[in-house]
Amino acid sequence: MSTLMHYDTNDLWKIEQVGFDEKFLGKTESIMVLGNGYLAVRSSEEESYVGETRDTFVAGTFNAFDENEVTELPNVPDMLGMNFVLNGHVLSLIQGQVSDYSKKLNLKTGELVRSFIWKKDEVVVKLTFRRFVSKARLHFLATQVQIENLSDQPLSVKVRSGINGQLSNEGSQHFTDGEKGLMEGRFIQMMPETTQSKIQFVQTSEHRFEGVELTENRPETARRGFYMNYAFDLNGNSSISFEKRSSIYTSIDKELSSNKVEDMRQFAVAELISLEELSFDDLLSESAKEWQKIWDKHPIKIETKNFRDQIAIRFAQYHLHVMTPAHDERMNIGAKGMSGEGYKGHTFWDTEIFMLPYFSFTHPEIAKSLVTYRYLGLDGAHKKATSNGYEGAQYPWEAAWPTDGEVTPVWGAADIVTGQATKIWSGFIEQHITSDVAFGIKQYLDVTGDDTFAREKGYEILVDTAKFWASRLEYNAKQDYYEICDVIGPDEYKEHVNNNSYTNYTAHWNMVYVIDLVAELKEREPQVYAKLDEKFDLKSLVQTLEEKSEKIFLPQATEDGIIPQDDSYLSKKVLDLTKYKEADGVDSLFHEYNLEQVNEMQITKQADVLLLLLLFEGLFDKELKEKNFDYYEPKTTHDSSLSLSTHAILSADLGKLEKSYHFFQQASNIDMGEYMKSSDPGIHAASLGGIWQMIVFGYGGVRIVNEQLRIEPHLPKEWNTLTFGFDYKGQEITVEVRPDHFIIEKSGQGKAIEFTSKGKTHKLNDSLTIFY
Ligand code: BGC
């Protein structure tokens, strides 16, 4: 455990790494990633170190390295690295003496500032690097470098900086070199192309030295790079600064009038020229203004002495916007956002169950783009269903380009016992993703009331997924019921199980919902009905859905009130997990057991039955929830970052606020905490969505139950006030929660909003105060 992370009580917008340690490069590379949903860059140091992971990603540019590998988000040539030679000494923080090292991310503006003092022999310098990825111009990123010579002797400075294509995704090189070029004597350009998907990139960089007499200004091409070499002298006790401005365009960018490489090259240069009048600070403040729009939309304020709780929600929102390609509905959110190579940039159920709610409730236009992605994914989902012998839309466990279908890799890390690669079964049998997508769509519709999306796309997804489930069910003649065998539920430590409750109940919901929907559409929206009927032959589909849904096996509670996670779980051996739960990091269990052994014990990786109880709360009473919480939580390792937020919300619902708050703090520390290794492959996107959910769903008590808004706040005792807001069917609601009451307000003149709280129905016209 290292304590390099620092949070300042007086500035709840900043996170800081204090001191440099080359063992922990991954932590702040990842948790301080910069981006705007179009592109993102890990916050690596400018100078290189062994052990760094220098990544730049552009959303949606998936490529398969070779035919045996699945498609992944390629690591684009780096535009931020720079090497410095000062009086002949190569700048490196593992040599010489380093003091005052700070790397600080301002969540409010998206600016990263890194500074330190470096002494090596006679050299004493302070370097300050400022950088940002523009939120105002999706293709643009910039760095400003300030070098202060702290000695009274002159300093000779050499800088090598450019575009470095020698990078890869852990060795997989996704690009062919492509052309390189120098435009107007100062814009260096590289035009790499992805090897299989043939996406063309135009990367342009320009360096700006003003008022500096350069003794060298020399371009240098390399096989996989294009650099500029600069040299200048700095008098004693003086400083200079220079800038590097860059942009990235690709042949899949939607908004360009031409995606031909030649045109993109001209366009990129013209854009950089057009920005010449603007200073680094102008460009940064233009970007900060865009960030401010996000902060102004439903700001969350927590009055508490535990100031990190306030930073945690800002940290979560910052990342949710960095990682979400809101500009293009052909793209979705990766399980690590765009902050690392983990999970290859792929989209999981993490989107619908963990991140989408944030957007549906606070940025419906972004949510719309995310749900549209699933509509565009219907082709891929049909492909998957057909190849498995099913009908309808079976969503891929991992998704990339929406029409690609399943992209889960088949083989994973080596098994510690057998030494053989482990087969990843999720792509074959983790099937609950299909009802998760349906759930996300339904929640989006309930919250936003977006009828147009419903008519044009949403209902179709819901019907198509229900059709899949109808074909997926297996008839068990002995029991005379339909069941779902050989699956993985949310708990990935149980493979090949029968009748995972989460899967069966959510499939059942999907089917029954569609039966009602079709009946309603027939009455209310004959045109929509007719369109769907043409595609699905609704009468016969509904008949099948009715027959089968009536006979689905829905595992019932045991005498002790426990919903079995699956057919065999409750008969397995129990292991005391205390020591594994207390260990730093996750997966400590796997230092002693392999997956096959864990499969045979009552050990759960992440909320499974408990997630079902949370998402479908109307189906289960409080006593049952309590019993299941007490049963399953001790058996849950929380090895998946998707687990803690569910536990925090459910325990808040059950009035176990102390426990809940403990989960909240653990969950907020997954990336932001002091543990320095957890974020190496990238941040935990779903857990960041979970932070918003814990606050708004857990402590704000907001929920949609049976299409009805409910607000039942519970404030942890550590908080004095919680203020938050959300959009509901086109109107804006603000809630201020205090220990014994809450004030709820609606802005605008729209019609009254009905909601329930503790069993009572309220009508909100403009403002209401409700005592508990
Ligand atoms: C979890 C899955 C999750 C995936 C991506 C896995 O470790 O078990 O539920 O979808 O990570 O975040």
Side-chain angles (χ1 to χ4, degrees):
M1 176 81 73
S2 160
T3 48
L4 295 177
M5 296 310 301
H6 177 80
Y7 301 92
D8 186 347
T9 336
N10 297 314
D11 189 350
L12 306 183
W13 286 101
K14 296 204 175 116
I15 58 172
E16 185 177 13
Q17 174 184 338
V18 180
F20 178 78
D21 187 333
E22 79 272 22
K23 290 195 295 299
F24 301 125
L25 296 168
K27 174 77 172 185
T28 52
E29 282 179 352
S30 174
I31 70 164
M32 295 189 186
V33 63
L34 304 179
N36 56 23
Y38 172 85
L39 72 92
V41 285
R42 270 167 84 94
S43 287
S44 307
E45 319 296 296
E46 271 71 11
E47 65 288 356
S48 285
Y49 296 95
V50 170
E52 69 185 5
T53 307
R54 195 173 270 287
D55 280 324
T56 304
F57 299 110
V58 175
T61 58
F62 290 101
N63 185 64
F65 168 61
D66 75 25
E67 60 199 24
N68 298 317
E69 289 202 7
V70 295
T71 191
E72 71 180 316
L73 207 54
N75 184 8
V76 174
D78 173 53
M79 307 174 90
L80 290 171
M82 292 179 187
N83 297 326
F84 296 84
V85 181
L86 306 171
N87 277 6
H89 302 295
V90 175
L91 172 74
S92 166
L93 301 184
I94 38 191
Q95 283 169 14
Q97 275 169 282
V98 183
S99 56
D100 297 358
Y101 179 99
S102 156
K103 191 200 260 186
K104 205 185 260 195
L105 173 66
N106 186 338
L107 301 165
K108 193 165 198 262
T109 61
E111 183 191 11
L112 182 83
V113 181
R114 184 174 74 108
S115 62
F116 52 83
I117 293 173
W118 189 62
K119 287 191 200 166
K120 170 87 180 154
D121 299 342
E122 75 292 354
V123 174
V124 190
V125 282
K126 176 168 183 190
L127 277 104
T128 306
F129 300 89
R130 300 168 67 200
R131 45 162 111 143
F132 68 95
V133 167
S134 177
K135 195 91 182 114
R137 303 172 185 273
L138 291 187
H139 305 267
F140 183 80
L141 60 161
T143 308
Q144 187 194 59
V145 184
Q146 189 184 41
I147 308 176
E148 288 175 72
N149 181 3
L150 300 181
S151 109
D152 50 14
Q153 298 303 307
L155 181 75
S156 102
V157 181
K158 286 182 182 232
V159 183
R160 183 173 182 264
S161 164
I163 307 173
N164 171 13
Q166 264 187 318
L167 301 169
S168 67
N169 294 58
E170 292 192 80
S172 297
Q173 174 52 261
H174 285 282
F175 290 94
T176 47
D177 285 353
E179 264 179 90
K180 300 177 190 71
L182 183 67
M183 300 262 263
E184 315 238 339
R186 63 182 199 281
F187 299 101
I188 56 174
Q189 293 194 306
M190 294 238 302
M191 274 63 69
E193 185 179 45
T194 53
T195 51
Q196 164 270 330
S197 54
K198 303 287 176 212
I199 298 171
Q200 291 166 317
F201 283 65
V202 171
Q203 297 184 258
T204 310
S205 282
E206 169 201 18
H207 296 86
R208 292 159 57 97
F209 288 85
E210 270 161 31
V212 184
E213 209 173 299
L214 294 172
T215 53
E216 188 180 8
N217 180 354
R218 179 174 54 86
E220 172 198 337
T221 57
R223 180 160 161 218
R224 285 196 173 269
F226 196 162
Y227 304 93
M228 293 299 290
N229 290 281
Y230 299 104
F232 52 90
D233 295 314
L234 200 54
N235 290 335
N237 297 318
S238 69
S239 73
I240 71 116
S241 61
F242 69 91
E243 271 180 55
K244 180 177 186 181
R245 297 180 177 187
S246 304
S247 70
I248 309 181
Y249 285 87
T250 85
S251 55
I252 61 168
D253 292 345
K254 262 201 329 192
E255 83 285 9
L256 299 183
S257 53
S258 159
N259 291 95
K260 288 206 193 94
V261 169
E262 250 337 286
D263 295 337
M264 290 195 288
R265 287 185 68 177
Q266 299 291 347
F267 185 76
V269 168
E271 186 193 31
L272 290 179
I273 292 175
S274 77
L275 299 181
E276 262 164 13
E277 295 299 303
L278 299 177
S279 68
F280 181 87
D281 285 305
D282 292 339
L283 290 161
L284 174 61
S285 74
E286 177 192 77
S287 171
K289 271 196 198 126
E290 287 304 307
W291 272 109
Q292 194 54 45
K293 288 185 192 158
I294 289 165
W295 302 118
D296 288 343
K297 184 97 197 270
H298 303 309
I300 294 184
K301 280 218 313 260
I302 306 169
E303 260 177 52
T304 172
K305 286 202 189 93
N306 295 349
F307 65 96
R308 281 176 58 161
D309 296 352
Q310 178 69 66
I311 305 180
I313 181 61
R314 291 177 174 161
F315 178 80
Q317 283 182 273
Y318 168 83
H319 280 286
L320 285 162
H321 288 274
V322 163
M323 68 171 89
T324 302
H327 62 287
D328 195 326
E329 68 277 358
R330 297 169 303 172
M331 296 159 198
N332 204 284
I333 314 174
K336 301 277 179 203
M338 288 195 281
S339 67
E341 294 167 26
Y343 290 123
K344 302 182 185 301
H346 294 171
T347 294
F348 294 66
W349 69 315
D350 304 33
T351 293
E352 277 74 16
I353 304 299
F354 296 89
M355 283 96 87
L356 179 64
Y358 166 71
F359 293 108
S360 295
F361 276 91
T362 62
H363 291 82
E365 66 303 337
I366 300 181
K368 185 177 186 155
S369 178
L370 295 170
V371 289
T372 303
Y373 169 87
R374 291 302 192 182
Y375 183 75
L376 301 175
L378 278 173
D379 274 356
H382 292 148
K383 244 193 275 174
K384 175 161 175 163
T386 313
S387 69
N388 289 329
Y390 304 127
E391 293 173 8
Q394 180 181 19
Y395 276 95
W397 176 246
E398 295 185 25
W401 194 253
T403 47
D404 281 356
E406 187 58 73
V407 293
T408 306
V410 175
W411 298 103
D415 179 317
I416 52 138
V417 175
T418 64
Q420 303 294 314
T422 322
K423 185 153 183 179
I424 303 179
W425 283 100
S426 307
F428 302 98
I429 58 172
E430 192 153 359
Q431 295 170 352
H432 62 87
I433 172 78
T434 294
S435 33
D436 301 325
V437 169
F439 181 88
I441 303 283
K442 174 73 173 100
Q443 190 185 60
Y444 168 78
L445 296 178
D446 285 346
V447 179
T448 61
D450 183 349
D451 290 337
T452 314
F453 179 81
R455 291 189 193 110
E456 291 173 359
K457 305 186 173 83
Y459 294 148
E460 183 176 334
I461 298 177
L462 287 155
V463 174
D464 227 348
T465 49
K467 183 174 173 187
F468 159 70
W469 285 119
S471 74
R472 171 63 183 86
L473 296 178
E474 298 154 60
Y475 185 61
N476 179 328
K478 212 157 121 205
Q479 304 286 353
D480 186 27
Y481 59 45
Y482 285 97
E483 59 182 351
I484 307 178
C485 297
D486 195 18
V487 293
I488 302 178
D491 168 16
E492 294 191 337
Y493 289 170
K494 297 287 162 288
E495 295 183 333
H496 305 292
V497 295
N498 298 338
N499 297 312
N500 165 258
S501 287
Y502 181 92
T503 309
N504 286 25
Y505 274 88
T506 58
H508 178 251
W509 162 78
N510 194 172
M511 292 166 70
V512 171
Y513 172 71
V514 165
I515 297 172
D516 293 346
L517 174 72
V518 169
E520 199 192 314
L521 290 178
K522 199 171 178 186
E523 277 286 296
R524 184 168 56 86
E525 308 242 17
Q527 278 173 337
V528 181
Y529 178 90
K531 206 179 99 197
L532 289 171
D533 192 32
E534 227 172 82
K535 279 202 175 146
F536 294 101
D537 184 4
L538 289 177
K539 204 167 159 206
S540 111
L541 176 63
V542 166
Q543 207 178 347
T544 313
L545 290 174
E546 277 171 351
E547 256 168 51
K548 294 196 169 175
S549 63
E550 265 166 32
K551 282 195 170 180
I552 286 194
F553 171 53
L554 296 175
Q556 296 300 306
T558 61
E559 273 179 13
D560 298 330
I562 308 305
I563 303 271
Q565 190 176 294
D566 56 59
D567 281 357
S568 55
Y569 188 95
L570 296 180
S571 59
K572 291 178 174 169
K573 195 174 114 189
V574 176
L575 182 77
D576 179 3
L577 295 178
T578 320
K579 81 170 182 190
Y580 307 105
K581 285 187 170 217
E582 282 165 2
D584 261 352
V586 294
D587 293 353
S588 57
L589 184 67
F590 287 91
H591 301 162
E592 290 169 37
Y593 299 95
N594 70 2
L595 189 56
E596 220 172 286
Q597 293 164 319
V598 173
N599 215 358
E600 293 315 314
M601 292 186 268
Q602 293 195 40
I603 299 176
T604 296
K605 179 183 183 185
Q606 63 202 95
D608 187 306
V609 170
L610 297 188
L611 182 59
L612 171 70
L613 303 188
L614 179 66
L615 298 183
F616 291 88
E617 60 165 86
L619 299 179
F620 308 97
D621 65 29
K622 189 170 173 204
E623 194 189 330
L624 180 137
K625 285 181 204 158
E626 255 164 10
K627 286 186 173 156
N628 282 273
F629 185 89
D630 294 343
Y631 187 82
Y632 283 109
E633 198 289 320
K635 298 176 181 61
T636 304
T637 57
H638 305 295
D639 279 353
S640 160
S641 64
L642 279 58
S643 192
L644 289 163
S645 59
T646 304
H647 284 79
I649 302 169
L650 193 61
S651 47
D653 284 357
L654 295 173
K656 301 173 189 283
L657 277 169
E658 220 160 284
K659 250 201 172 114
S660 166
Y661 188 64
H662 180 67
F663 290 127
F664 171 82
Q665 293 209 306
Q666 274 183 298
S668 344
N669 275 331
I670 291 174
D671 289 304
M672 233 181 74
E674 272 81 24
Y675 182 61
M676 294 298 281
K677 298 304 281 177
S678 58
S679 309
D680 284 0
I683 48 85
H684 300 77
S687 92
L688 296 165
I691 292 179
W692 180 87
Q693 290 196 34
M694 290 187 286
I695 294 172
V696 174
F697 293 172
Y699 307 132
V702 172
R703 221 61 60 81
I704 307 276
V705 188
N706 303 329
E707 304 185 1
Q708 189 35 276
L709 179 64
R710 193 190 69 200
I711 305 179
E712 266 168 32
H714 340 249
L715 214 54
K717 68 174 186 333
E718 290 78 2
W719 294 1
N720 303 326
T721 335
L722 162 67
T723 312
F724 64 92
F726 58 94
D727 285 7
Y728 185 67
K729 302 201 170 162
Q731 302 199 61
E732 297 200 353
I733 293 179
T734 309
V735 184
E736 186 183 310
V737 186
R738 295 181 170 270
D740 62 345
H741 69 277
F742 69 98
I743 304 160
I744 173 164
E745 279 175 9
K746 171 171 93 59
S747 66
Q749 300 305 312
K751 66 173 193 210
I753 291 177
E754 226 180 68
F755 67 96
T756 63
S757 190
K758 302 240 161 120
K760 263 188 156 171
T761 305
H762 301 269
K763 269 201 168 154
L764 176 66
N765 281 303
D766 37 57
S767 164
L768 280 176
T769 300
I770 297 176
F771 284 84
Y772 303 149

